[in-house]
Amino acid sequence: MFQGHGDDGYLHQQTLAADFSTNVWHGGAPAGLKEYLFRQWDNVQRYPEVLAESLTQKIASFYGFKSENILVTNGSTESIYLVAQAFKNGKTTITIPAFAEYEDACKLFGHQLCLLNWDELEKGISGDTGLLFICNPNNPTGAVFKALEALIHQHPGVLFIVDEAFIEFTVSITSVLTLIEKYNNLIVLRSMTKAYAIPGLRLGYIAASTALINRLRSFKLPWAVNAMAIAAGHFIFDHIQTIQIPVQQLLADREEFTKKLESSALKIYPSHTHFFLARTNQHTAALLKQFLLKEFNILIRDAGNFRGLTEKHIRIATLSQNKNQLLINALAEWKTI
């Protein structure tokens, strides 16, 4: 899917007043990162590390793993396509609604697909599933699945691909990343672009058993992670204790934001993250997106292309209180159309 993601403001020739379509932390990159990267500029005159080895070791050391348990990637999207390629032609289940790249990657590599509604997870999964993709917390709903370890334990023959791109944006669950030493049927995908607001650099990593990482690494292209992204990764892990997002405040802001939106022409769905789903009660999400762009320079995420959602669904991320108010005011106008 080359079109249809959030943060597609570059497609619109206007200056945005507020971008609610992206679920990247609105507070921006960590203080000092920009200056640090400028000092690394000379590194772009040389090829980067073939497999981002130095950053791999730093991440592994942080978690107490071996470097053989980590694979640094060009964002979570590369991670998804690596998994799909490494297990091509497999039988795969995707929990929906879901990030479209799971399905796109699996189709590219000949997977036999089964789609499982998120709400059905509580009832269990089929034992003959080869791979299971689950985003936890889920994108686009912000839902969380708390019994994930029990499910992994009950199905040793199923390979669980757990995308934790938004784990920093919730307090409702903890990461399963530390479980890779306990379970050989677990691959954890992590993003470094959402919570640290560097999506343009493309940076993430995979954590799994040595055998699984070796299999994934055999399909990885050399130099896929550029020198500046590697440098950013080093900065983040060198300062990781002091640059975490204020998640409690962000979730409190979301709570206040959604309460105010309830009086608008939207149905608001519960979420465990700073982003959430909504449904317009009139017209379609596409028309609402067009209206907000044209009249208010506000961008939202038309979520109609997510499996399991409709043409009336949108995804909204919580921004600053001032920008949140812009959307509240604009939706008051939408109600009158």
Side-chain angles (χ1 to χ4, degrees), residues 4-34:
H5 292 298
D7 197 13
D8 62 356
Y10 71 96
L11 296 175
H12 309 285
Q13 300 302 311
Q14 62 194 90
T15 300
L16 296 175
D19 184 358
F20 294 92
S21 75
T22 174
N23 38 29
V24 171
W25 158 234
H26 71 80
L33 175 58
K34 181 178 179 180

Side-chain angles (χ1 to χ4, degrees), residues 52 55-56 58-60 62-63 65 69-80 82-83 162-165 167-168 175 177 180 187-193 196 202-208 213 216 220 225 233 236-237 240:
L55 181 56
T56 298
K58 181 163 290 185
I59 296 171
F62 177 80
Y63 291 111
F65 297 152
N69 295 125
I70 298 293
L71 186 62
V72 178
T73 60
N74 187 296
S76 292
T77 299
E78 188 199 9
S79 302
I80 293 164
L82 278 174
V83 170
V162 183
D163 186 348
E164 292 189 341
I167 194 70
E168 293 92 348
S175 172
L177 189 145
I180 63 166
I187 294 176
V188 181
L189 314 183
R190 296 293 292 268
S191 170
M192 295 179 68
T193 63
Y196 306 111
R202 315 304 308 129
L203 184 63
Y205 56 95
I206 303 171
I213 290 294
L216 295 170
K220 185 167 171 55
V225 183
I236 288 168
F237 272 92
I240 200 163

